Amino acid sequence: MAVDAKSVPLEDQEEQERQVQRHDAPAHNPSAPPDEFFDISTTVDPSYVISLIRKLLPANASNNHNSHGDVFYAHVQELETDHTDKTAPTLSGDRLLHVSNDGSESMEIADDFHKSAPEERQNNGSYDGAEQCGHSVPVGEEAWEEYGCILWDLAASKTHAELMVQNLILEVLLANLVVSQSLRAMEITLGIIGNLACHEVPMKHIVSTIGLIGTVVDQLFSEDAQCLCEACRLLTVGLQSSECISWAKELQSEHILSRILWIAENSLNPQLIEKSVEVLLATIESSEEVVLILLPPLMKLGLASLLINLLDFEMSQLLSERVPERYPVLDVILRSIEALSVIDGHSQEICSNKDLFRLVCDLVKLPDKVEVANSCITAGVLIANILSDEPHLASEISQDLPFLQGLLDIFPFSSEDLEARSALWNIIARLLVRVQENEMSRSALQQYVSVLVSKSDAIEDDLLDFQLDELNSKARTTSLRRIISLLNQWTASKDDDKENEMMGNRYEDDINIDRLLDCCCKHSEYVPPAVSPDMDFKE
């Protein structure tokens, strides 16, 4: 029965609310200490966050003497005392679970925080009353994982992340990386650091924490796929940040770079392949300083051939069986190759590879592109880059009608990507300037016209978008004029067909041809200079 809130005293209402909150809290949420209860659906008490950090301290942290020496020991001692920040701001309005990370990449934690615990693990400690006498009492492995997963999720919030680094979470996490831990604990530790690294202030703390980046890099030699995924994700974030130079310097050893390439080449786990290639992509797209540090040794170690081999494998998988979990892998490989294709001094190795050219053309010709639309868009941009360096390759595909049809199929997917649309018009122009409609047989000409007319809606929709007028109008106008010439040639050849003329038939195709012809004429007002098959359409 519903109870009228107005008839219940305020103190009783508050007590009922606290009971409901405790009753409805997710089972994987450990209870806060008795004096630190809070509404976990709306706020997080700073003292609770700090108590979770203290519970992550490994049991033998204080006795661990390693390369970090007395500085590390001092941090541990500081944390083991009552370090609650009395001046910490109230974190009202931030959610405990599934927190937004303000647009930066973060790991979303599944609801089940108990996963991946091997059967042989034992809860070797109790976390009840873990804050006795102001000291952190070691917790059991399963409890540690629960606390760690909460912090992992909380670290996605900028406010929480900054509070954490102010209260020595990086020192605690470094302790867990140094001290022998379970694989699940290592994964969680790297995951927390990965989310912290998504924010500017915590990233600066990460870089300034002595030995932390180097210890993270050492995790690349783990044999556990999930630990490797989190290590690679963290390295990617580091290489994309304003502190990328510090990360690059830790990675520049040939031993380390070889390991990254080895992981990408030998992993059977699609997620791990994706994350390891993302490290390579972040390197290629990073600052000029990072590229100068890391790209030459990577190229020397066979980066280009590795990426092409990975693409070859993913294409074979795509053509034989559609596996959705492999689509992101295909996408990141193509993005890496495309990024490499425009790097001065390294693009030639990409653009001159005929196997690569064949693979990306096969992807463009794929009939059903919906599930891999982003990859097809990237393939189009990559082909445009290749033809810019190797224009003679256009002759090999100028008569490939499935390829031309595939290019036109990509237009609807690239409506928001001006660069991709420009690249597509660039390729079409290079192909059509090599088509000699005056010398073609009627059947061959009919096939060209049939492809163009069948994709007239895609062409018209793209032409109606006025934004493209600002980009690469030369290639587009050249393409339109070549389409006009082909359509006119076909119309003229039909006019010579006396039998058709005598019958007075006007087929639906004729109407569609006229419509496409009118549209192309309307949008081809710009008069390009004399066109040659090898001209550069870039502007």
Side-chain angles (χ1 to χ4, degrees):
M1 181 180 67
V3 179
D4 185 356
K6 294 182 180 179
S7 65
V8 182
L10 179 61
E11 293 180 358
D12 292 341
Q13 290 182 37
E14 294 174 347
E15 176 59 25
Q16 289 178 7
E17 291 175 357
R18 284 195 294 270
Q19 292 176 357
V20 170
Q21 291 162 8
R22 290 196 294 270
H23 178 72
D24 293 342
H28 55 255
N29 262 0
S31 299
D35 60 339
E36 295 173 359
F37 281 124
F38 54 90
D39 183 355
I40 64 171
S41 66
T42 57
T43 62
V44 177
D45 189 329
S47 61
Y48 178 64
V49 176
I50 295 168
S51 73
L52 292 176
I53 296 172
R54 292 160 71 178
K55 290 182 175 103
L56 294 194
L57 260 175
N60 55 344
S62 299
N63 298 324
N64 181 62
H65 296 286
N66 51 58
S67 58
H68 307 300
D70 295 336
V71 175
F72 171 76
Y73 178 75
H75 286 315
V76 173
Q77 288 293 94
E78 183 179 1
L79 194 71
E80 287 186 335
T81 61
D82 187 5
H83 189 68
T84 302
D85 187 353
K86 301 296 191 299
T87 63
T90 302
L91 305 181
S92 60
D94 291 309
R95 295 186 177 277
L96 177 62
L97 298 179
H98 305 294
V99 191
S100 169
N101 71 341
D102 303 322
S104 56
E105 180 184 0
S106 69
M107 170 67 82
E108 293 184 2
I109 306 303
D111 289 338
D112 183 7
F113 285 161
H114 297 283
K115 68 174 185 177
S116 301
E119 294 180 358
E120 64 270 16
R121 293 181 186 170
Q122 299 295 326
N123 188 345
N124 54 18
S126 172
Y127 56 90
D128 293 328
E131 299 298 324
Q132 299 174 3
C133 303
H135 291 279
S136 177
V137 177
V139 299
E141 199 167 287
E142 292 183 3
W144 190 102
E145 292 174 8
E146 292 180 6
Y147 298 138
C149 284
I150 296 173
L151 288 171
W152 189 350
D153 213 26
L154 284 172
S157 162
K158 177 182 176 183
T159 305
H160 297 148
E162 292 182 358
L163 172 67
M164 291 178 193
V165 296
Q166 290 167 5
N167 287 277
L168 302 178
I169 191 170
L170 293 177
E171 286 73 18
V172 172
L173 297 176
L174 176 58
N176 282 284
L177 289 176
V178 172
V179 177
S180 177
Q181 292 286 310
S182 71
L183 293 176
R184 175 63 172 155
M186 300 295 280
E187 176 195 353
I188 294 170
T189 299
L190 292 168
I192 297 172
I193 302 173
N195 278 6
L196 293 172
C198 293
H199 312 290
E200 183 177 359
V201 172
M203 173 60 85
K204 292 185 181 297
H205 280 269
I206 290 172
V207 171
S208 63
T209 300
I210 298 173
L212 180 54
I213 297 181
T215 305
V216 167
V217 171
D218 288 343
Q219 307 314 307
L220 289 172
F221 294 90
S222 169
E223 297 297 327
D224 180 70
Q226 293 306 311
C227 288
L228 289 172
C229 283
E230 288 307 313
C232 288
R233 185 177 76 94
L234 177 50
L235 294 177
T236 298
V237 174
L239 291 170
Q240 293 171 335
S241 72
S242 59
E243 303 293 333
C244 56
I245 301 298
S246 298
W247 291 88
K249 289 180 178 178
E250 291 288 346
L251 290 170
Q252 64 184 330
S253 163
E254 185 173 310
H255 181 54
I256 299 297
L257 296 178
S258 296
R259 176 64 178 179
I260 297 173
L261 296 177
W262 187 91
I263 293 170
E265 183 177 18
N266 292 280
S267 176
L268 299 178
N269 184 314
Q271 184 188 22
L272 181 52
I273 299 173
E274 177 188 356
K275 295 302 178 184
S276 58
V277 176
E278 281 179 353
V279 177
L280 301 173
L281 175 60
T283 299
I284 299 168
E285 292 185 334
S286 191
S287 68
E288 183 177 353
E289 293 88 343
V290 170
V291 171
L292 289 174
I293 293 172
L294 298 182
L295 194 52
L298 281 171
M299 293 297 288
K300 181 181 177 182
L301 291 169
L303 172 61
S305 60
L306 167 68
L307 292 173
I308 294 170
N309 289 338
L310 289 175
L311 177 61
D312 190 4
F313 178 78
E314 293 303 324
M315 282 297 298
S316 67
Q317 295 292 304
L318 181 65
L319 295 175
S320 63
E321 181 182 3
R322 297 292 184 95
V323 182
E325 67 177 351
R326 304 203 74 93
Y327 298 158
V329 181
L330 175 65
D331 188 52
V332 72
I333 293 170
L334 280 165
R335 288 165 53 204
S336 300
I337 297 173
E338 189 274 321
L340 193 56
S341 71
V342 295
I343 301 289
D344 291 339
H346 302 290
S347 62
Q348 184 59 28
E349 191 169 348
I350 291 294
C351 295
S352 62
N353 192 293
K354 291 190 176 183
D355 288 335
L356 170 62
F357 189 65
R358 173 185 54 81
L359 289 169
V360 289
C361 287
D362 287 345
L363 179 57
V364 167
K365 291 189 284 187
L366 197 68
D368 184 7
K369 295 181 173 63
V370 175
E371 295 175 312
V372 290
N374 289 335
S375 295
C376 292
I377 292 171
T378 305
V381 176
L382 177 55
I383 291 171
N385 293 344
I386 292 174
L387 293 179
S388 179
D389 278 10
E390 304 285 339
H392 66 277
L393 293 176
S395 299
E396 300 180 10
I397 53 175
S398 62
Q399 306 298 320
D400 191 340
L401 291 176
F403 178 75
L404 176 60
Q405 182 172 330
L407 287 176
L408 296 172
D409 283 336
I410 298 174
F411 271 118
F413 303 119
S414 60
S415 58
E416 303 299 324
D417 190 336
L418 291 180
E419 180 188 4
R421 292 163 60 197
S422 170
L424 295 174
W425 283 117
N426 193 303
I427 300 167
I428 293 171
R430 290 182 182 278
L431 299 184
L432 295 185
V433 297
R434 288 170 167 77
V435 175
Q436 303 297 320
E437 63 272 16
N438 294 327
E439 302 175 4
M440 296 173 66
S441 67
R442 187 176 178 189
S443 62
L445 181 59
Q446 182 183 23
Q447 291 176 10
Y448 262 100
V449 172
S450 178
V451 168
L452 294 170
V453 171
S454 69
K455 300 302 175 184
S456 58
D457 287 343
I459 295 173
E460 291 179 38
D461 289 345
D462 190 81
L463 294 177
L464 289 174
D465 192 337
F466 66 91
Q467 297 180 67
L468 193 59
D469 289 341
E470 303 175 1
L471 186 63
N472 212 19
S473 59
K474 185 191 300 182
R476 188 190 67 171
T477 304
T478 298
S479 299
L480 295 180
R481 289 184 172 272
R482 295 299 302 130
I483 293 174
I484 292 170
S485 181
L486 285 163
L487 296 178
N488 283 335
Q489 181 68 23
W490 172 247
T491 302
S493 71
K494 290 194 70 175
D495 289 341
D496 293 337
D497 189 339
K498 301 300 183 181
E499 180 181 353
N500 187 62
E501 183 178 342
M502 290 172 57
M503 293 175 61
N505 293 332
R506 182 161 177 79
Y507 297 105
E508 183 179 349
D509 282 351
D510 297 329
I511 299 174
N512 292 334
I513 288 172
D514 289 346
R515 190 185 71 177
L516 179 58
L517 190 59
D518 289 341
C519 181
C520 290
C521 289
K522 184 188 304 183
H523 291 87
S524 61
E525 296 176 356
Y526 170 78
V527 181
V531 178
S532 70
D534 294 330
M535 72 175 294
D536 188 353
F537 292 102
K538 289 186 177 180
E539 292 186 344

